[in-house]
Amino acid sequence: MTNTKNSNHLLSPEAYEAAFLRNRLKKVEAELFALQNSTFWRATAPLRMSVDKVRCLVRENPRLARFLKGILFRSRSRPVPGLPEAERKGESVPSLDELKITQKKTFEADLKQFLEAGNRLDIKKSDAPRVSILLVLFNQAALTFRCLRSIAAELNIPIEVIVIDNNSQDETSAMIKQISGITYVHNRENINFLKAVNQAAEMACGDHILLLNNDAALLPGTLANAVFRLENDPENGAVGGKIILVDGSLQEAGSIIWQDGSCLGYGRQQNPDAPQFQFLRTVDYCSGAFLLIRRNLFEELDRFDEAYAPAYYEESDFCMRLTKAGYRVLYDPCVEILHYEFGSSASTEQALSLQRRNRKRLVEKHQETLTKKPAASPGEILNARDLTQYHGRVLFIEDRVPHDALGSGFPRCRTIVQSLIKLGMFITFYPLRFPKEDWDETYETLPRQVEVMLDHGMESLQHFLQERQGYYDYILVSRPHNMEIVKYLYDKHPSLFKGMDIVYDAEAIFALREIRKQEVTGRFCSPRKYQKQLEDEMNLARVARNIITVSPLEAKHFTRAGYNNIHVLSHSLKPKPTPALFEERKGLFFVGSLDHDDSPNVDSLVWFVKKVMPELKKRCDIPIILTAAGGAGSRQVLDLTSEELVLTGRVEDLAPLFNFTRVFIVPTRFAAGVPHKAHEAASHGVPMVTTSLIAEQLGWQDKKDLLIANDPVEFASRILDLYENQALWLQLRENALARIQTECSKKKFEEELEKIFCSSSTQHDAEE
């Protein structure tokens, strides 16, 4: 998202209050999320409850949000714009028109102060601009001044600013005299917006042109984000983004053109931070209030069609011509502007009248294309918001956003998302158990074209399915506890799932893990109860058309339960052996999330440190250091005191640690599925010692692919065998790398997913 840091001295605080509030609240939420995952948080339960209540109230109560904004910005000398005395006293909330009047007065006061003080505004002009910013003026000097100040803050992209003044009669000419770095043309008469844009485009030298209304202001970083997106793919022809009104609501997040030529700004008057506006889409068009276009394409398509003069629908027409020529028009949520709206028109009614006239012209010109568009209907908005031709739509239900550092099957989940996108699927990712995340971190993990439904969670799932009934072709559910919720809804409301194939990704058979855990901890449980636990978990798959397991071993349990629609999907990794030589490496390495006391990772590390490391000490003159990477919030782990143990916490890139490690350990005593960390260590060329449980899950052989040990003495002995025997180390390294090459190939992973989804849809169509 955009960054407002260090921009206060360049931009008007009043122009950016709404954006600052949203960005500041995002940072607060990110800090709160980090706090919730700390050891300290568990000792402050009352504080947690209070903060959660406040956060909920802020989301649901705009008035409270404005109050908090006042606290966040109380150091500012100016009052919050658009917040008259009545609002501060808890009376009626100002309307959009009232806010526009208030803001315009502020902008006029800023311009007056600028002119009277004789100040200067310098816009850095490049001799080799990447972007030519085109501004068309007709009066409204205060709005223009606000717009130019936002442009002046865009220092990361070489620009030129071309200003066409259609004979303004207000303070515009006086203002321009105090601004440097722009190309200014004063027309003797008002040739209106469209012709003035074409006039400016003829003068442009940049690789791209930016159409920017003079009643708009760039939010910091917006231009750089738009240029990155446009240049990311040669098929991208134009980029637009979120247009935010003065009350902080959306004007549009990309626009839809209906069959009758009418247009709809997607998301009008909704929250700009809502999940449905946070992902990258191909759209019919984006408003000319901000539209970045490749200049060569603007010229090849003969610029704006002057039949639409003086204004309106010219950008709709151009984007339709751009799409017809084989290029994409993209909506990018990281591109954000504040828009006064109709600030450059003589009146709102005049603007609407021009829109009605030019709509007819659009229909006449693009009749063949428009007949293929859906008729204007609220029920068609979801389908019409994205022009991309997908092979299918998938609702992916998981515990949380799958950050790699979390382990626990989340790296595999992330790979599934990436592979489905490659297969041409649209993904809505629904974090069921942990729905609160920071947007920046979310999209560092997931591709930007994935729709991520943050802030929904379990309590909103039924309503979400009702709202989007008939929209998805598949629902992919990961993990038994999530499948239990989906199955409950399916049994209670089967109509919600009509036309949708359910795919169950078991990820791991949790009953097997619980059974082994009870055995390890010495708790007695009858065989009958064991069998009941397993049967209950197997029954969750009854509503699924396809079942995914992570290993052939777990697939057998589903086969025994009578299923035949089973697919094995392990991990997708390629061999990337770290280069350090045997003699350059030292120490042991452990990877796993260590936040919860009752987890398999915590049990295995505690067991290893308390039982195995003393055996190593007996046999070694030189201490062997164990490095453990992963969140370390568990009290049991924090209580481990050993000079030979190094806790790193979460590590984003494990490759350097793998490079200098001699032996990887997986001392897991109870678990299910296939451990990604074992495959990851093997892919980096680090031989390992594991328990027989892990070797069984991997399907790998002792003394060929890895070494197996179960009791402390044996585990220590096997570590030393591998630690001191270079020939054995090299043998296991090469054999494990060969296993990764065969069993974890990306091609094999994607082909299996293609069988599940693409062939599933063909079969489903045949049945229909």
Side-chain angles (χ1 to χ4, degrees), residues 568-588:
V568 176
L569 192 70
S570 187
H571 299 118
S572 175
L573 291 165
K574 62 180 180 180
K576 42 189 174 183
T578 45
L581 302 175
F582 175 83
E583 57 271 17
E584 295 173 328
R585 298 169 181 261
K586 61 182 180 179
L588 311 178

PDB file of all heavy atoms in Angstrom, residues 568-588:
ATOM      1  N   VAL A 568      -2.909 -37.669  -4.483  1.00  0.00           N
ATOM      2  CA  VAL A 568      -1.761 -37.411  -3.602  1.00  0.00           C
ATOM      3  C   VAL A 568      -1.043 -36.160  -4.103  1.00  0.00           C
ATOM      4  O   VAL A 568      -0.626 -36.089  -5.260  1.00  0.00           O
ATOM      5  CB  VAL A 568      -0.797 -38.599  -3.564  1.00  0.00           C
ATOM      6  CG1 VAL A 568       0.431 -38.252  -2.728  1.00  0.00           C
ATOM      7  CG2 VAL A 568      -1.499 -39.839  -3.006  1.00  0.00           C
ATOM      8  N   LEU A 569      -0.931 -35.186  -3.226  1.00  0.00           N
ATOM      9  CA  LEU A 569      -0.290 -33.920  -3.570  1.00  0.00           C
ATOM     10  C   LEU A 569       0.654 -33.559  -2.432  1.00  0.00           C
ATOM     11  O   LEU A 569       0.233 -33.080  -1.385  1.00  0.00           O
ATOM     12  CB  LEU A 569      -1.344 -32.824  -3.761  1.00  0.00           C
ATOM     13  CG  LEU A 569      -0.894 -31.519  -4.398  1.00  0.00           C
ATOM     14  CD1 LEU A 569      -0.580 -31.726  -5.876  1.00  0.00           C
ATOM     15  CD2 LEU A 569      -1.971 -30.451  -4.243  1.00  0.00           C
ATOM     16  N   SER A 570       1.930 -33.806  -2.637  1.00  0.00           N
ATOM     17  CA  SER A 570       2.903 -33.572  -1.572  1.00  0.00           C
ATOM     18  C   SER A 570       3.376 -32.125  -1.602  1.00  0.00           C
ATOM     19  O   SER A 570       2.588 -31.204  -1.480  1.00  0.00           O
ATOM     20  CB  SER A 570       4.071 -34.541  -1.698  1.00  0.00           C
ATOM     21  OG  SER A 570       4.942 -34.430  -0.593  1.00  0.00           O
ATOM     22  N   HIS A 571       4.678 -31.889  -1.778  1.00  0.00           N
ATOM     23  CA  HIS A 571       5.215 -30.539  -1.828  1.00  0.00           C
ATOM     24  C   HIS A 571       5.840 -30.289  -3.194  1.00  0.00           C
ATOM     25  O   HIS A 571       6.211 -31.224  -3.901  1.00  0.00           O
ATOM     26  CB  HIS A 571       6.273 -30.336  -0.743  1.00  0.00           C
ATOM     27  CG  HIS A 571       5.742 -30.507   0.640  1.00  0.00           C
ATOM     28  ND1 HIS A 571       6.190 -31.489   1.498  1.00  0.00           N
ATOM     29  CD2 HIS A 571       4.778 -29.837   1.326  1.00  0.00           C
ATOM     30  CE1 HIS A 571       5.537 -31.408   2.651  1.00  0.00           C
ATOM     31  NE2 HIS A 571       4.676 -30.415   2.563  1.00  0.00           N
ATOM     32  N   SER A 572       5.924 -29.029  -3.536  1.00  0.00           N
ATOM     33  CA  SER A 572       6.552 -28.646  -4.800  1.00  0.00           C
ATOM     34  C   SER A 572       7.851 -27.909  -4.484  1.00  0.00           C
ATOM     35  O   SER A 572       7.835 -26.771  -4.011  1.00  0.00           O
ATOM     36  CB  SER A 572       5.616 -27.741  -5.605  1.00  0.00           C
ATOM     37  OG  SER A 572       6.259 -27.275  -6.773  1.00  0.00           O
ATOM     38  N   LEU A 573       8.962 -28.572  -4.724  1.00  0.00           N
ATOM     39  CA  LEU A 573      10.281 -28.003  -4.452  1.00  0.00           C
ATOM     40  C   LEU A 573      11.245 -28.449  -5.548  1.00  0.00           C
ATOM     41  O   LEU A 573      11.082 -29.522  -6.128  1.00  0.00           O
ATOM     42  CB  LEU A 573      10.828 -28.492  -3.108  1.00  0.00           C
ATOM     43  CG  LEU A 573      10.150 -27.997  -1.828  1.00  0.00           C
ATOM     44  CD1 LEU A 573      10.592 -28.858  -0.654  1.00  0.00           C
ATOM     45  CD2 LEU A 573      10.493 -26.548  -1.571  1.00  0.00           C
ATOM     46  N   LYS A 574      12.222 -27.634  -5.815  1.00  0.00           N
ATOM     47  CA  LYS A 574      13.271 -28.074  -6.732  1.00  0.00           C
ATOM     48  C   LYS A 574      14.596 -28.122  -5.981  1.00  0.00           C
ATOM     49  O   LYS A 574      14.825 -27.339  -5.054  1.00  0.00           O
ATOM     50  CB  LYS A 574      13.373 -27.150  -7.941  1.00  0.00           C
ATOM     51  CG  LYS A 574      13.748 -25.723  -7.636  1.00  0.00           C
ATOM     52  CD  LYS A 574      13.814 -24.918  -8.926  1.00  0.00           C
ATOM     53  CE  LYS A 574      14.203 -23.460  -8.643  1.00  0.00           C
ATOM     54  NZ  LYS A 574      14.272 -22.677  -9.885  1.00  0.00           N
ATOM     55  N   PRO A 575      15.471 -29.058  -6.346  1.00  0.00           N
ATOM     56  CA  PRO A 575      16.764 -29.136  -5.664  1.00  0.00           C
ATOM     57  C   PRO A 575      17.543 -27.826  -5.825  1.00  0.00           C
ATOM     58  O   PRO A 575      17.675 -27.306  -6.929  1.00  0.00           O
ATOM     59  CB  PRO A 575      17.471 -30.286  -6.385  1.00  0.00           C
ATOM     60  CG  PRO A 575      16.375 -31.093  -7.001  1.00  0.00           C
ATOM     61  CD  PRO A 575      15.309 -30.103  -7.368  1.00  0.00           C
ATOM     62  N   LYS A 576      18.004 -27.287  -4.723  1.00  0.00           N
ATOM     63  CA  LYS A 576      18.837 -26.078  -4.744  1.00  0.00           C
ATOM     64  C   LYS A 576      19.930 -26.243  -3.684  1.00  0.00           C
ATOM     65  O   LYS A 576      19.947 -25.538  -2.669  1.00  0.00           O
ATOM     66  CB  LYS A 576      18.001 -24.830  -4.499  1.00  0.00           C
ATOM     67  CG  LYS A 576      16.955 -24.981  -3.417  1.00  0.00           C
ATOM     68  CD  LYS A 576      16.014 -23.792  -3.371  1.00  0.00           C
ATOM     69  CE  LYS A 576      14.892 -24.045  -2.370  1.00  0.00           C
ATOM     70  NZ  LYS A 576      13.920 -22.963  -2.322  1.00  0.00           N
ATOM     71  N   PRO A 577      20.829 -27.227  -3.900  1.00  0.00           N
ATOM     72  CA  PRO A 577      21.838 -27.553  -2.881  1.00  0.00           C
ATOM     73  C   PRO A 577      22.713 -26.359  -2.525  1.00  0.00           C
ATOM     74  O   PRO A 577      23.215 -25.659  -3.405  1.00  0.00           O
ATOM     75  CB  PRO A 577      22.651 -28.666  -3.547  1.00  0.00           C
ATOM     76  CG  PRO A 577      22.374 -28.553  -5.007  1.00  0.00           C
ATOM     77  CD  PRO A 577      20.989 -28.031  -5.125  1.00  0.00           C
ATOM     78  N   THR A 578      22.860 -26.132  -1.247  1.00  0.00           N
ATOM     79  CA  THR A 578      23.720 -25.045  -0.777  1.00  0.00           C
ATOM     80  C   THR A 578      25.178 -25.416  -1.020  1.00  0.00           C
ATOM     81  O   THR A 578      25.567 -26.584  -0.929  1.00  0.00           O
ATOM     82  CB  THR A 578      23.461 -24.783   0.712  1.00  0.00           C
ATOM     83  OG1 THR A 578      23.411 -26.037   1.413  1.00  0.00           O
ATOM     84  CG2 THR A 578      22.140 -24.067   0.910  1.00  0.00           C
ATOM     85  N   PRO A 579      26.028 -24.426  -1.328  1.00  0.00           N
ATOM     86  CA  PRO A 579      27.366 -24.740  -1.854  1.00  0.00           C
ATOM     87  C   PRO A 579      28.448 -25.054  -0.834  1.00  0.00           C
ATOM     88  O   PRO A 579      29.498 -25.590  -1.217  1.00  0.00           O
ATOM     89  CB  PRO A 579      27.732 -23.448  -2.604  1.00  0.00           C
ATOM     90  CG  PRO A 579      26.986 -22.367  -1.894  1.00  0.00           C
ATOM     91  CD  PRO A 579      25.697 -22.995  -1.447  1.00  0.00           C
ATOM     92  N   ALA A 580      28.260 -24.732   0.448  1.00  0.00           N
ATOM     93  CA  ALA A 580      29.337 -24.926   1.419  1.00  0.00           C
ATOM     94  C   ALA A 580      29.791 -26.387   1.461  1.00  0.00           C
ATOM     95  O   ALA A 580      28.977 -27.309   1.382  1.00  0.00           O
ATOM     96  CB  ALA A 580      28.886 -24.474   2.807  1.00  0.00           C
ATOM     97  N   LEU A 581      31.086 -26.588   1.588  1.00  0.00           N
ATOM     98  CA  LEU A 581      31.651 -27.931   1.657  1.00  0.00           C
ATOM     99  C   LEU A 581      31.414 -28.555   3.032  1.00  0.00           C
ATOM    100  O   LEU A 581      31.124 -27.858   4.009  1.00  0.00           O
ATOM    101  CB  LEU A 581      33.152 -27.880   1.360  1.00  0.00           C
ATOM    102  CG  LEU A 581      33.556 -27.289   0.000  1.00  0.00           C
ATOM    103  CD1 LEU A 581      35.073 -27.185  -0.086  1.00  0.00           C
ATOM    104  CD2 LEU A 581      32.984 -28.123  -1.137  1.00  0.00           C
ATOM    105  N   PHE A 582      31.572 -29.871   3.122  1.00  0.00           N
ATOM    106  CA  PHE A 582      31.363 -30.605   4.372  1.00  0.00           C
ATOM    107  C   PHE A 582      32.188 -30.000   5.510  1.00  0.00           C
ATOM    108  O   PHE A 582      31.669 -29.732   6.599  1.00  0.00           O
ATOM    109  CB  PHE A 582      31.743 -32.077   4.161  1.00  0.00           C
ATOM    110  CG  PHE A 582      31.695 -32.916   5.408  1.00  0.00           C
ATOM    111  CD1 PHE A 582      30.499 -33.456   5.860  1.00  0.00           C
ATOM    112  CD2 PHE A 582      32.859 -33.164   6.140  1.00  0.00           C
ATOM    113  CE1 PHE A 582      30.459 -34.228   7.018  1.00  0.00           C
ATOM    114  CE2 PHE A 582      32.825 -33.937   7.294  1.00  0.00           C
ATOM    115  CZ  PHE A 582      31.625 -34.460   7.739  1.00  0.00           C
ATOM    116  N   GLU A 583      33.469 -29.754   5.238  1.00  0.00           N
ATOM    117  CA  GLU A 583      34.355 -29.265   6.302  1.00  0.00           C
ATOM    118  C   GLU A 583      34.068 -27.809   6.686  1.00  0.00           C
ATOM    119  O   GLU A 583      34.523 -27.336   7.731  1.00  0.00           O
ATOM    120  CB  GLU A 583      35.823 -29.419   5.892  1.00  0.00           C
ATOM    121  CG  GLU A 583      36.202 -28.720   4.607  1.00  0.00           C
ATOM    122  CD  GLU A 583      36.016 -29.593   3.368  1.00  0.00           C
ATOM    123  OE1 GLU A 583      35.291 -30.621   3.463  1.00  0.00           O
ATOM    124  OE2 GLU A 583      36.612 -29.260   2.334  1.00  0.00           O
ATOM    125  N   GLU A 584      33.321 -27.096   5.841  1.00  0.00           N
ATOM    126  CA  GLU A 584      32.975 -25.700   6.150  1.00  0.00           C
ATOM    127  C   GLU A 584      31.708 -25.590   7.002  1.00  0.00           C
ATOM    128  O   GLU A 584      31.368 -24.507   7.467  1.00  0.00           O
ATOM    129  CB  GLU A 584      32.760 -24.909   4.854  1.00  0.00           C
ATOM    130  CG  GLU A 584      34.008 -24.784   4.008  1.00  0.00           C
ATOM    131  CD  GLU A 584      33.732 -24.143   2.651  1.00  0.00           C
ATOM    132  OE1 GLU A 584      32.618 -24.330   2.111  1.00  0.00           O
ATOM    133  OE2 GLU A 584      34.640 -23.457   2.137  1.00  0.00           O
ATOM    134  N   ARG A 585      31.052 -26.696   7.202  1.00  0.00           N
ATOM    135  CA  ARG A 585      29.782 -26.696   7.924  1.00  0.00           C
ATOM    136  C   ARG A 585      29.978 -27.173   9.358  1.00  0.00           C
ATOM    137  O   ARG A 585      30.881 -27.949   9.647  1.00  0.00           O
ATOM    138  CB  ARG A 585      28.770 -27.614   7.220  1.00  0.00           C
ATOM    139  CG  ARG A 585      28.409 -27.188   5.807  1.00  0.00           C
ATOM    140  CD  ARG A 585      27.631 -28.272   5.092  1.00  0.00           C
ATOM    141  NE  ARG A 585      27.288 -27.908   3.727  1.00  0.00           N
ATOM    142  CZ  ARG A 585      26.112 -27.433   3.340  1.00  0.00           C
ATOM    143  NH1 ARG A 585      25.139 -27.289   4.246  1.00  0.00           N
ATOM    144  NH2 ARG A 585      25.878 -27.123   2.075  1.00  0.00           N
ATOM    145  N   LYS A 586      29.075 -26.737  10.222  1.00  0.00           N
ATOM    146  CA  LYS A 586      29.103 -27.217  11.602  1.00  0.00           C
ATOM    147  C   LYS A 586      27.719 -27.045  12.219  1.00  0.00           C
ATOM    148  O   LYS A 586      26.884 -26.289  11.741  1.00  0.00           O
ATOM    149  CB  LYS A 586      30.140 -26.452  12.424  1.00  0.00           C
ATOM    150  CG  LYS A 586      29.883 -24.956  12.520  1.00  0.00           C
ATOM    151  CD  LYS A 586      30.988 -24.283  13.314  1.00  0.00           C
ATOM    152  CE  LYS A 586      30.742 -22.767  13.409  1.00  0.00           C
ATOM    153  NZ  LYS A 586      31.800 -22.090  14.192  1.00  0.00           N
ATOM    154  N   GLY A 587      27.488 -27.768  13.284  1.00  0.00           N
ATOM    155  CA  GLY A 587      26.262 -27.618  14.040  1.00  0.00           C
ATOM    156  C   GLY A 587      25.076 -28.373  13.477  1.00  0.00           C
ATOM    157  O   GLY A 587      25.117 -28.952  12.386  1.00  0.00           O
ATOM    158  N   LEU A 588      24.004 -28.364  14.283  1.00  0.00           N
ATOM    159  CA  LEU A 588      22.741 -29.007  13.932  1.00  0.00           C
ATOM    160  C   LEU A 588      21.701 -27.928  13.666  1.00  0.00           C
ATOM    161  O   LEU A 588      21.801 -26.811  14.169  1.00  0.00           O
ATOM    162  CB  LEU A 588      22.259 -29.911  15.068  1.00  0.00           C
ATOM    163  CG  LEU A 588      23.262 -30.893  15.664  1.00  0.00           C
ATOM    164  CD1 LEU A 588      22.619 -31.666  16.812  1.00  0.00           C
ATOM    165  CD2 LEU A 588      23.784 -31.841  14.596  1.00  0.00           C
TER     166      LEU A 588
END
